[in-house]
């Protein structure tokens, strides 16, 4: 599993994708930091995470995950992994972790905004930490959507469009359709912005993520018999 | 040892491979031959565990490729057709990654990677990016990735496709050396390559095994026709009439007229007749001077074409 994580990370940074993803995150974080804290003279960093999750993740997640399996199948390198003595679940988890690391890196960069705010007023540390946790949990769920979408096709473009559709639907439809508001992942994420770690929400994010990873594994296994 | 037992692979109603069985002993070099779409790559992919068979089983050194997939895969090094590689990695990075995937002991990893780079002649270009290599060099990188970790079985799908003659010679000599330490299965369209490298040939057509033997035996099977090529001086054009009156000769056909006014004929006789003896004595009686008599040399290509044609006619 370690070998696949290392190779995936190396690939992210040998291609422009890694830099583009981190760049988009930093632009989004910086813009929302300016608009929601500096401009509003507020020491509240939670909006920075909220708006990046609302507007940023649906563009970043497809970029990050579209190549995970679809790209390998397109170039034929999936043959190298699928004929190596590694388990399919390990490969799926490795690709998931590599993508997650690429999101965790810019999240760590938000310490910079925390540091800047400290010059004026020390932000609420527990709320900052729970917001980070919520953002990472939400990202994990979206990445698992993306990895699943990437296993369904050999076209990275189609995988990207599918991921965008998944994330867009999960983010916006419950916000716009009142009857579906109970399914809103953004609502569950919002509770973290108030400094609450609701175990039910943590379990929800983790179970959706695990479910998507398991489905991805089944899809990949199934491909072996229909290939 | 590899045992393929009654393997069938279906895609809906299409049968790609039908009830094939064969076994390959340790240290053997076996070639898969067959026209495009015959089922060679499907069979290889099933052995490597890349795809799963619909029916039957494949046992690699005692491990079932479905039930004990990881252990079976540990025994196999696979070089897929079209040499899929990570273009942005260097040669060394790629081979190291393959070593990690194959779970090579961490302490031995560096040494094993260097050994395999040396063996494939890549040690001087190990820090080059794969995307900057020639096709032949990429083929060697793929082979290096296959060999790292010392798998007992090496499976090579069309290892010389797209290479120039010099590169083909290099790769062939590498494969020949592999046969000394590993069990090798390779598929190829180049029949001379298979006859040079392989101990045994399995010919697949329309998803079925249509022949399985050594290259020599397959060649002999097609050379058993009683045919002889005879070059004579025949200024009076007597050969045709004379030959037709000889008992045991089925047909005679003019092949070519040479510049020195000699003519070459293909003479076909009935089975069991000693054509050399009859032609020599009968032509001498008619004062036809014989310059040369020779049996046609059958090649693996002839054998292949004949077997495939017979399979197609069935």
């Amino acid at each position: 599993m370690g070998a696949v994580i290392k190779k995936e990370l190396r690939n992210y940074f040998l291609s422009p994708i890694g830099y583009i993803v981190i760049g988009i995150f930093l632009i989004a974080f910086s813009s929302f930091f300016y608009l929601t804290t500096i401009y509003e003279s507020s020491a509240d960093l939670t909006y920075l995470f909220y708006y990046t999750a609302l507007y940023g993740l649906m563009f970043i997640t497809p970029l990050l995950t579209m190549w995970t399996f679809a790209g390998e199948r397109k170039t034929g390198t999936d043959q190298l992994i699928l004929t190596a003595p590694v388990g399919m679940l390990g490969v799926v988890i490795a690709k998931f972790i590599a993508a997650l690391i690429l999101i965790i890196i810019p999240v760590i960069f938000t310490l910079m905004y925390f540091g800047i705010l400290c010059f004026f007023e020390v932000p609420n540390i527990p709320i900052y930490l729970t917001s980070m946790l919520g953002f990472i949990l939400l990202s994990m769920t979206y990445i698992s959507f993306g990895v699943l979408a990437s296993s369904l096709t050999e076209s990275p473009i189609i995988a990207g469009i599918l991921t965008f559709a998944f994330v867009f639907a999960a983010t916006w439809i419950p916000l716009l359709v009142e009857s579906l508001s109970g399914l809103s992942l953004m609502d569950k994420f919002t509770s973290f912005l108030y400094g609450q770690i609701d175990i039910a929400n943590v379990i929800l994010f983790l179970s959706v993520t695990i479910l998507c990873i398991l489905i991805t594994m089944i899809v990949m296994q199934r491909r072996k018999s229909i290939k | 040892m590899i045992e393929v037992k009654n393997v069938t692979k279906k895609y809906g109603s299409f049968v790609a491979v039908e009830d094939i069985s064969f076994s390959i002993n340790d240290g053997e070099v076996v070639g898969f031959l067959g026209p495009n779409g015959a089922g060679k790559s499907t069979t290889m992919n099933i052995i490597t565990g890349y795809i799963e068979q619909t029916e039957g089983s494949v046992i690699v050194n005692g491990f079932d490729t479905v039930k004990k997939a990881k252990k079976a895969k540990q025994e196999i090094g696979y070089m897929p057709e079209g040499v899929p590689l990570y273009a942005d990695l260097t040669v060394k990075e790629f081979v190291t990654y393959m070593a990690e995937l194959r779970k090579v002991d961490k302490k031995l990893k560096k040494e094993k990677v260097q050994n395999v780079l040396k063996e494939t002649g890549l040690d001087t270009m190990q820090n080059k990016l794969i995307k900057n290599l020639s096709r032949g060099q990429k083929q060697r990188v793929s082979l290096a990735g296959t060999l790292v970790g010392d798998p007992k079985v090496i499976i090579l799908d069309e290892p010389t496709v797209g290479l120039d003659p010099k590169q083909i010679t290099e790769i062939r000599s590498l494969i020949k050396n592999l046969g000394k330490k590993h069990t090798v299965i390779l598929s190829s369209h180049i029949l001379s390559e298979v006859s040079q490298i392989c101990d045994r040939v399995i010919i697949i057509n329309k998803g079925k095994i249509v022949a399985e033997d050594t290259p020599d035996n397959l060649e002999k099977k097609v050379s058993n026709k009683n045919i002889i090529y005879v070059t004579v001086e025949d200024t009076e054009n007597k050969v045709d009439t004379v030959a037709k009156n000889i008992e045991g000769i089925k047909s005679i056909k003019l092949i070519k007229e040479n510049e020195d006014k000699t003519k070459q004929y293909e003479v076909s006789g009935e089975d069991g007749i000693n054509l050399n003896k009859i032609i020599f004595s009968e032509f001498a009686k008619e004062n036809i001077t014989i310059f040369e008599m020779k049996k046609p040399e059958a090649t693996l290509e002839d054998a292949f074409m004949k077997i495939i044609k017979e399979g197609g006619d069935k």
Side-chain angles (χ1 to χ4, degrees):
Chain A
M1 198 157 89
V4 180
I5 295 176
K6 264 199 293 181
K7 198 274 297 168
E8 287 293 306
L9 285 175
R10 204 179 296 157
N11 260 18
Y12 277 132
F13 290 106
L14 286 172
S15 69
I17 289 181
Y19 302 99
I20 291 173
V21 165
I22 292 177
I24 293 176
F25 259 124
L26 291 181
I27 290 168
F29 279 145
S30 301
S31 309
F32 295 126
F33 174 67
Y34 175 76
L35 292 170
T36 62
T37 54
I38 304 288
Y39 190 73
E40 298 285 336
S41 303
S42 156
D44 186 356
L45 278 169
T46 57
Y47 288 105
L48 179 152
F49 289 109
Y50 180 78
Y51 286 116
T52 306
L54 194 60
Y55 299 110
L57 283 180
M58 68 182 163
F59 297 104
I60 291 165
T61 319
L63 264 178
L64 201 54
T65 56
M66 61 198 274
W67 280 92
T68 46
F69 284 106
E72 298 255 19
R73 283 177 65 202
K74 194 180 177 199
T75 56
T77 47
D78 63 329
Q79 294 184 75
L80 303 175
I81 298 177
L82 299 180
T83 58
V86 289
M88 189 63 75
L89 183 61
V91 173
V92 178
I93 292 175
K95 285 178 176 278
F96 168 82
I97 291 175
L100 183 62
I101 288 173
L102 232 75
I103 285 191
I104 290 176
I105 292 169
V107 169
I108 291 170
F109 280 151
T110 60
L111 280 171
M112 176 173 74
Y113 310 116
F114 184 88
I116 293 168
L117 282 185
C118 283
F119 282 106
F120 309 102
E121 184 185 341
V122 177
N124 186 318
I125 295 174
I127 286 183
Y128 172 64
L129 292 175
T130 55
S131 303
M132 264 174 122
L133 175 68
F135 188 83
I136 289 169
L137 285 169
L138 182 69
S139 303
M140 279 169 67
T141 311
Y142 287 172
I143 289 170
S144 70
F145 287 165
V147 173
L148 172 59
S150 190
S151 72
L152 297 173
T153 169
E154 64 180 59
S155 160
I157 300 290
I158 294 173
I161 293 168
L162 273 176
T163 310
F164 178 83
F166 278 164
V167 177
F168 181 84
T171 309
W172 285 96
I173 292 179
L175 290 180
L176 301 172
V177 183
E178 216 179 293
S179 55
L180 296 173
S181 60
L183 298 173
S184 173
L185 290 178
M186 279 304 286
D187 267 0
K188 316 287 177 208
F189 163 60
T190 309
S191 72
F192 289 87
L193 304 180
Y194 293 113
Q196 300 161 4
I197 301 179
D198 187 336
I199 295 300
N201 289 342
V202 174
I203 290 172
L204 176 80
F205 282 124
L206 290 180
S207 15
V208 175
T209 305
I210 291 167
L211 183 69
C212 287
I213 286 175
L214 290 177
I215 296 173
T216 308
M217 190 196 73
I218 293 165
V219 169
M220 293 302 291
Q221 290 283 11
R222 178 112 183 87
R223 284 205 174 280
K224 286 174 80 177
S225 51
I226 58 168
K227 209 176 271 164
Chain B
M1 186 177 184
I2 300 167
E3 286 177 274
V4 175
K5 292 179 194 165
N6 308 105
V7 164
T8 297
K9 176 71 186 174
K10 290 179 188 168
Y11 297 101
S13 58
F14 174 71
V15 183
V17 168
E18 190 178 352
D19 195 28
I20 59 166
S21 298
F22 59 88
S23 57
I24 297 170
N25 296 320
D26 291 343
E28 253 193 310
V29 180
V30 174
F32 273 159
L33 284 181
N36 282 336
K40 301 183 303 280
S41 290
T42 305
T43 309
M44 288 181 137
N45 283 330
I46 289 171
I47 298 172
T48 59
Y50 180 55
I51 58 176
E52 265 174 32
Q53 63 271 32
T54 318
E55 286 163 30
S57 65
V58 179
I59 313 287
V60 180
N61 289 342
F63 302 112
D64 188 296
T65 53
V66 176
K67 292 173 192 157
K68 299 263 179 194
K70 273 193 199 176
K71 289 195 170 172
K73 285 175 183 175
Q74 191 73 54
E75 301 288 308
I76 301 172
Y78 177 43
M79 178 174 157
E81 187 183 1
V83 286
L85 298 166
Y86 297 102
D88 290 324
L89 299 187
T90 65
V91 172
K92 189 176 152 190
E93 282 170 345
F94 174 76
V95 179
T96 307
Y97 172 57
M98 292 307 290
E100 288 167 351
L101 275 187
R102 302 200 60 79
K103 301 194 167 110
V104 171
D105 190 328
K106 274 183 187 169
K107 290 173 197 161
L108 301 172
K109 192 170 71 187
K110 264 191 181 176
E111 186 193 333
K112 293 219 171 193
V113 167
Q114 286 307 319
N115 287 346
V116 94
L117 288 174
K118 227 176 249 176
E119 196 180 344
T120 48
L122 293 164
D123 46 338
T124 54
M125 55 187 87
Q126 56 182 287
N127 294 317
K128 269 192 176 180
L129 285 176
I130 290 172
K131 64 181 166 196
N132 295 332
L133 300 180
S134 71
R135 173 75 200 229
Q137 289 166 337
K138 283 180 183 165
Q139 209 96 346
R140 277 193 275 160
V141 175
S142 182
L143 189 58
T146 307
L147 296 178
V148 73
D150 292 324
K152 292 182 184 114
V153 178
I154 305 284
I155 298 180
L156 312 166
D157 198 355
E158 302 279 2
T160 56
V161 161
L163 302 183
D164 66 36
K166 187 174 170 279
Q167 292 165 337
I168 288 176
T169 315
E170 285 170 10
I171 291 281
R172 273 187 203 164
S173 90
L174 265 172
I175 297 170
K176 264 190 178 178
N177 281 332
L178 291 179
K180 292 172 189 165
K181 288 194 289 182
H182 308 265
T183 303
V184 181
I185 305 175
L186 70 96
S187 74
S188 176
H189 282 94
I190 305 167
L191 303 176
S192 59
E193 180 171 283
V194 172
S195 79
Q196 277 174 37
I197 301 173
C198 300
D199 304 322
R200 193 150 59 94
V201 176
I202 295 173
I203 300 181
I204 300 179
N205 191 28
K206 295 179 181 169
K208 290 180 181 172
I209 293 178
V210 287
E212 187 183 347
D213 215 326
T214 62
D216 279 351
N217 284 345
L218 286 172
E219 285 163 12
K220 275 180 201 157
K221 276 180 190 167
V222 279
S223 66
N224 60 9
K225 277 185 188 166
N226 202 3
I227 289 175
I228 206 160
Y229 288 108
V230 54
T231 306
V232 296
E233 189 179 59
D234 180 28
T235 46
E236 294 171 37
N237 291 321
K238 289 194 291 186
V239 167
D240 210 23
T241 335
V242 170
K244 276 177 184 165
N245 293 328
I246 301 172
E247 204 176 324
I249 289 183
K250 286 201 293 196
S251 67
I252 182 157
K253 198 162 67 183
L254 178 67
I255 302 289
K256 63 174 175 180
E257 288 187 40
N258 299 318
E259 283 179 5
D260 60 359
K261 292 185 180 166
T262 59
K263 294 173 183 174
Q264 189 183 40
Y265 291 92
E266 183 193 274
V267 184
S268 165
E270 286 168 7
D271 290 343
I273 298 287
N274 187 339
L275 268 182
N276 286 36
K277 197 175 163 186
I278 293 175
I279 290 170
F280 193 77
S281 62
E282 295 297 323
F283 280 26
K285 282 182 203 164
E286 299 292 333
N287 286 329
I288 299 169
T289 314
I290 297 171
F291 280 70
E292 187 190 29
M293 276 205 288
K294 65 175 183 184
K295 280 218 149 226
E297 277 179 25
T299 61
L300 186 58
E301 193 166 2
D302 297 324
F304 177 75
M305 293 308 290
K306 188 183 171 213
I307 290 162
I308 293 298
K309 192 169 178 293
E310 281 170 359
D313 291 345
K314 275 176 196 169

